Amino acid sequence: MGIAIYMMAFGLLLVGLYALVAKKNVVRIIIGIAILDYGINLLLVLMGYRHGGSAPILGKGETTAQLAARSVDPLPQVMVLTNIVVELAMVVVVVALAIRIYDRYGTFDMNDIRRLRG
Amino acid sequence: MTVELLVLLLTAFMFLAALIAVETSDLLSAVICIGAAGFALCVIDLLVGAPDLTFPQVVVEVVTLVLLIRMIMTRQDTSRQTPRDTLRTAVVLAAGGVLLVVAFFAFGGLGAKGSVPPFGQPPMVQSDASLSAQYINGAQRDTGAGNAVMGILMEYRGYDMLGQAALIFAAILGGFVILRKVGRKRGESEDQA
């Protein structure tokens, strides 16, 4: 079961990559960036999961040794938390750029945007 | 139903939603599909013991959705239905196939000796010398935080947090600079402006 879950996460990364490379619409490229971010977040969170584990929050009267024996890995969660903020910042800037491109060229289509063709 | 099965179903849902978002012809449906995938990710976070991630993810999700809908609602999508770019699609499919095969064996598929810990057994479980085990054992003593994630984020990795704050500031500033209406005209010199 575990390998199937990992493969789904990798499939998500692939869909994002496909949107980024093969699509010609600026909005779809932004969507591709967002999908790539989801895939990375999902993969990292899943790598920290432990069978039957619970959140790494200290219960009442619980020692750290007991916490370490039952909780999931907290380190990937910290990385993902950072990534979520980065994602939001990136989306804000990219959407601003797309709005600017639309104001200038009147379209989201990369074929009609002369200086973006590549 | 075990947690693993639920997580598998939700990841499959995310995968399908992402595919629909990329392939559907209407931009508004695409944006809504991406929102569905994001909320599924929130539920997965909750299921695998990461409630600290759920709430930021929900907030980011809503803000992203509002931004994207605001962007496309008032603007006409004039993009033509161009035929699929076969070369680029083929390149992505080939690269993706290689990635999937390598990942399948690196993550221990078919009983291979994987280089990544198997699902459900993070490095923390396997040895006490791993960084995560040291963090979780020392979080209460060193930082006084009952929540290990917040202890690591604010104390052990405090510089990351500082970088995040700087990043948010830079992103807002960048958005303003890109979107402002009045700018210096070309050829106009610095002192005149």
Side-chain angles (χ1 to χ4, degrees):
Chain A
M1 184 100 75
I3 191 74
I5 297 176
Y6 276 145
M7 283 301 112
M8 279 294 173
F10 273 107
L12 207 60
L13 283 176
L14 268 184
V15 174
L17 186 71
Y18 168 66
L20 215 58
V21 174
K23 289 295 170 184
K24 291 285 190 175
N25 192 316
V26 176
V27 181
R28 268 184 224 287
I29 291 172
I30 297 175
I31 286 174
I33 293 174
I35 294 174
L36 262 177
D37 260 316
Y38 291 157
I40 291 163
N41 287 356
L42 183 65
L43 200 61
L44 278 176
V45 168
L46 289 178
M47 283 172 81
Y49 179 66
R50 142 197 274 180
H51 287 305
S54 51
I57 299 172
L58 212 56
K60 196 173 183 185
E62 196 178 27
T63 64
T64 43
Q66 286 167 335
L67 177 69
R70 70 155 172 86
S71 83
V72 297
D73 198 339
L75 196 54
Q77 295 187 19
V78 175
M79 301 297 163
V80 172
L81 208 53
T82 309
N83 189 35
I84 289 173
V85 177
V86 173
E87 179 192 346
L88 182 63
M90 189 168 61
V91 166
V92 167
V93 173
V94 174
V95 165
L97 277 173
I99 289 176
R100 223 46 184 150
I101 286 175
Y102 191 90
D103 287 349
R104 180 78 182 268
Y105 294 97
T107 178
F108 284 133
D109 195 343
M110 298 246 283
N111 290 311
D112 299 335
I113 302 169
R114 193 168 39 87
R115 288 162 67 188
L116 263 188
R117 196 173 296 161
Chain B
M1 205 184 316
T2 60
V3 174
E4 277 89 353
L5 189 57
L6 262 177
V7 169
L8 181 62
L9 287 178
L10 280 168
T11 42
F13 173 77
M14 279 185 76
F15 181 70
L16 285 180
L19 260 187
I20 295 172
V22 171
E23 282 302 330
T24 185
S25 59
D26 183 32
L27 282 186
L28 187 60
S29 348
V31 169
I32 289 172
C33 279
I34 197 74
F39 285 120
L41 181 57
C42 301
V43 180
I44 292 175
D45 283 346
L46 208 53
L47 282 177
V48 299
D52 299 307
L53 295 184
T54 308
F55 303 109
Q57 186 82 50
V58 169
V59 171
V60 166
E61 209 47 57
V62 171
V63 171
T64 308
L65 213 57
V66 168
L67 268 179
L68 285 175
I69 290 179
R70 171 74 184 79
M71 180 175 83
I72 62 172
M73 276 312 270
T74 52
R75 289 170 178 79
Q76 198 83 38
D77 178 25
T78 54
S79 60
R80 287 166 272 128
Q81 289 296 322
T82 46
R84 208 176 292 269
D85 194 334
T86 35
L87 175 66
R88 289 176 185 225
T89 310
V91 167
V92 172
L93 281 182
V98 173
L99 173 78
L100 278 185
V101 170
V102 170
F104 184 71
F105 288 109
F107 280 73
L110 284 182
K113 177 90 183 68
S115 45
V116 180
F119 184 73
Q121 294 160 32
M124 184 184 95
V125 178
Q126 288 164 359
S127 90
D128 273 345
S130 71
L131 188 61
S132 309
Q134 292 186 9
Y135 275 161
I136 202 169
N137 281 319
Q140 167 82 32
R141 186 189 63 234
D142 294 344
T143 70
N147 186 339
V149 174
M150 287 304 144
I152 295 172
L153 188 70
M154 301 286 182
E155 191 79 27
Y156 292 113
R157 305 234 149 250
Y159 277 118
D160 275 9
M161 203 65 205
L162 197 66
Q164 274 184 49
L167 193 75
I168 289 276
F169 179 67
I172 294 173
L173 212 62
F176 267 121
V177 168
I178 294 169
L179 283 179
R180 66 175 181 168
K181 288 288 182 215
V182 273
R184 208 164 46 233
K185 300 246 170 23
R186 193 172 296 171
E188 200 175 343
S189 71
E190 197 98 23
D191 45 354
Q192 282 170 330

